[in-house]
Amino acid sequence: MSGTIPTEVGMLSQVKNIRLSNNNFDGTIPTEIGMLQYLDRFNMEDNNIQSTIPSEIGMLQLIRGLFLWDNNISGTIPSEIGMMSLLEGLTLSQSNLTGTIPSEVGMLTYLEVLELDENNIEGAIPSEVGKLSNLEHIWLFRNNMNSTIPTEI
């Protein structure tokens, strides 16, 4: 499949899973994605999405898996990601993300997987990551981070 994700995706009010991986989608992640109040998993890995992660993604408060790796996503990780309180897996690897890891990641108490490798993320690992007692693996390699591992981890 190819093309863009239509803004009408926001009208799929009862949808629980979107899996559009390994296709040729391009364009942006529409802000209307935040309207999917029952969304449990959003898989868009291995496409050609060329946008930022919209702050409206934080409205997905029931989501447990967000998988956007291997795209051309740019910009920063929005702090609203901390509102996704049930999130277990966050995979944003192999994109063009910049900025720092927001401290709000520490609010994701159910997070088991954090993959942010192969981006252009800078700065330090937030000490709040040490609060993630369910975290099983964290991938941060091939970034521009220049700090030590916080003692809280």
Side-chain angles (χ1 to χ4, degrees):
M1 289 191 286
S2 62
T4 60
I5 304 167
T7 57
E8 290 82 5
V9 71
M11 293 191 304
L12 302 172
S13 60
Q14 300 299 310
V15 74
K16 292 185 180 178
N17 291 292
I18 296 178
R19 184 172 180 117
L20 298 170
S21 308
N22 305 305
N23 284 295
N24 291 309
F25 285 103
D26 57 14
T28 64
I29 300 170
T31 57
E32 289 81 2
I33 202 79
M35 297 170 61
L36 304 177
Q37 62 182 348
Y38 297 109
L39 193 62
D40 182 64
R41 301 228 185 260
F42 184 45
N43 298 69
M44 280 293 301
E45 67 265 12
D46 197 15
N47 276 285
N48 197 27
I49 301 296
Q50 299 176 7
S51 73
T52 59
I53 300 171
S55 59
E56 289 82 0
I57 206 105
M59 295 169 61
L60 302 175
Q61 295 182 9
L62 297 180
I63 197 165
R64 292 185 302 138
L66 179 61
F67 308 103
L68 301 175
W69 59 274
D70 198 12
N71 277 288
N72 290 314
I73 297 172
S74 59
T76 60
I77 301 168
S79 60
E80 290 83 359
I81 211 125
M83 296 168 51
M84 303 166 86
S85 60
L86 299 179
L87 198 64
E88 297 171 357
L90 178 61
T91 304
L92 305 175
S93 306
Q94 300 172 347
S95 287
N96 294 309
L97 291 170
T98 58
T100 61
I101 300 171
S103 60
E104 288 83 359
V105 167
M107 297 167 58
L108 304 174
T109 56
Y110 292 100
L111 196 66
E112 297 173 2
V113 175
L114 178 61
E115 296 177 359
L116 304 175
D117 53 289
E118 299 187 53
N119 279 290
N120 295 305
I121 297 171
E122 301 175 333
I125 301 169
S127 60
E128 290 84 356
V129 171
K131 298 176 185 175
L132 302 176
S133 60
N134 291 311
L135 194 63
E136 295 176 6
H137 80 258
I138 180 171
W139 291 0
L140 301 174
F141 60 90
R142 291 191 185 147
N143 275 294
N144 297 319
M145 301 176 79
N146 57 1
S147 68
T148 59
I149 297 172
T151 56
E152 293 84 359
I153 296 178

